[in-house]
Amino acid sequence: MCIRDRYQRRVREQQKMMGGAVRRMIMRQLSMAWEKWQAVYEDQKFAARMGGGAIRRMLNRQLSMAWEQWQAVAAEMKYQEMMLRRGLMRMIHAKLAAAMGKWREQAADAKRTAFMCGGAIRRMLHRQLSMAWEQWQFVADEMRRQEAMLRRGIMRMLMRQLACPWPGSSGNGLEPVAHCRSSDEG
């Protein structure tokens, strides 16, 4: 590759870079002009709408007053409807909550009744088994009662025996206790 080719290539690259810079500057100015035009157009459009609206309102004052009154009444009606709906929903929720509570109470009563009736029915169906069970409970209670009475009686006898002095061991000259004397004599 010769010097001339290198030089031409370098010139082409510089022209390309310069062309890109120039194009960007032109495009930037074009873009800025376009944005300026859009802003001015929007401002004029807004001013025309505002001015036109004011002029139309002045020309049609009664119509405008009626429109504004309708808007106010519509807003008030919408607010009242919302408040009425809220009140109704509160009432409906309260009634639903009360009904749910009542249902729970009745369900609990039905469950308790079914349980109690089921027990009575089972006892009637298994009467002999139930009678044997009740007899066993009665006998077991009676045996416990008799065992306790026997234990108390034996303890009383042991305590009485322990409280009496041994025969012939009253070296202190005291008389034996009255309940011991009756057993010593007999």
Side-chain angles (χ1 to χ4, degrees), residues 110-162:
K111 186 176 180 180
R112 189 172 32 259
T113 302
F115 177 75
M116 299 202 45
C117 288
I121 290 170
R122 278 191 297 278
R123 279 192 297 279
M124 285 191 286
L125 291 175
H126 303 289
R127 186 167 179 242
Q128 288 181 342
L129 182 61
S130 179
M131 287 171 51
W133 172 252
E134 289 172 3
Q135 178 68 28
W136 180 86
Q137 285 178 322
F138 175 76
V139 168
D141 287 342
E142 183 63 26
M143 286 175 66
R144 273 194 294 269
R145 189 183 69 78
Q146 288 178 5
E147 183 181 354
M149 286 175 54
L150 184 61
R151 187 175 292 127
R152 280 194 298 265
I154 290 172
M155 289 304 290
R156 237 184 250 129
M157 285 174 37
L158 286 173
M159 291 298 157
R160 186 177 290 165
Q161 292 287 328
L162 289 173

Side-chain angles (χ1 to χ4, degrees), residues 95-113:
K95 293 289 183 182
L96 283 173
M100 186 63 159
K102 183 72 173 172
W103 175 83
R104 282 183 181 155
E105 183 180 313
Q106 288 180 349
D109 287 345
K111 186 176 180 180
R112 189 172 32 259
T113 302

Side-chain angles (χ1 to χ4, degrees), residues 6-184:
R6 277 193 235 155
Y7 174 75
Q8 286 177 351
R9 190 169 34 132
R10 200 178 278 171
V11 168
R12 277 192 305 257
E13 288 175 1
Q14 286 178 354
Q15 284 176 346
K16 186 177 176 183
M17 289 170 58
M18 291 296 282
V22 169
R23 271 194 305 278
R24 279 194 296 276
M25 285 175 30
I26 291 171
M27 293 298 182
R28 186 169 153 237
Q29 288 180 352
L30 183 61
S31 176
M32 286 171 45
W34 172 252
E35 289 174 4
K36 174 95 173 155
W37 180 85
Q38 282 182 322
V40 168
Y41 173 76
E42 289 296 324
D43 289 344
Q44 287 177 350
K45 186 177 169 184
F46 179 73
R49 191 178 61 186
M50 295 305 282
I55 291 170
R56 277 192 298 280
R57 277 195 297 278
M58 286 183 346
L59 293 175
N60 299 318
R61 188 164 187 246
Q62 288 182 341
L63 182 60
S64 178
M65 287 172 43
W67 173 252
E68 289 172 3
Q69 183 179 5
W70 180 86
Q71 285 179 321
V73 169
E76 179 64 26
M77 287 175 63
K78 187 175 181 179
Y79 174 75
Q80 288 178 359
E81 180 185 4
M82 180 188 67
M83 294 303 285
L84 182 62
R85 185 171 287 144
R86 281 186 186 171
L88 286 173
M89 290 309 288
R90 277 193 208 114
M91 286 174 40
I92 289 169
H93 286 297
K95 293 289 183 182
L96 283 173
M100 186 63 159
K102 183 72 173 172
W103 175 83
R104 282 183 181 155
E105 183 180 313
Q106 288 180 349
D109 287 345
K111 186 176 180 180
R112 189 172 32 259
T113 302
F115 177 75
M116 299 202 45
C117 288
I121 290 170
R122 278 191 297 278
R123 279 192 297 279
M124 285 191 286
L125 291 175
H126 303 289
R127 186 167 179 242
Q128 288 181 342
L129 182 61
S130 179
M131 287 171 51
W133 172 252
E134 289 172 3
Q135 178 68 28
W136 180 86
Q137 285 178 322
F138 175 76
V139 168
D141 287 342
E142 183 63 26
M143 286 175 66
R144 273 194 294 269
R145 189 183 69 78
Q146 288 178 5
E147 183 181 354
M149 286 175 54
L150 184 61
R151 187 175 292 127
R152 280 194 298 265
I154 290 172
M155 289 304 290
R156 237 184 250 129
M157 285 174 37
L158 286 173
M159 291 298 157
R160 186 177 290 165
Q161 292 287 328
L162 289 173
C164 292
W166 288 94
S169 68
S170 63
N172 59 5
L174 296 175
E175 289 291 323
V177 181
H179 71 273
C180 294
R181 212 177 312 140
S182 63
S183 63
D184 289 341

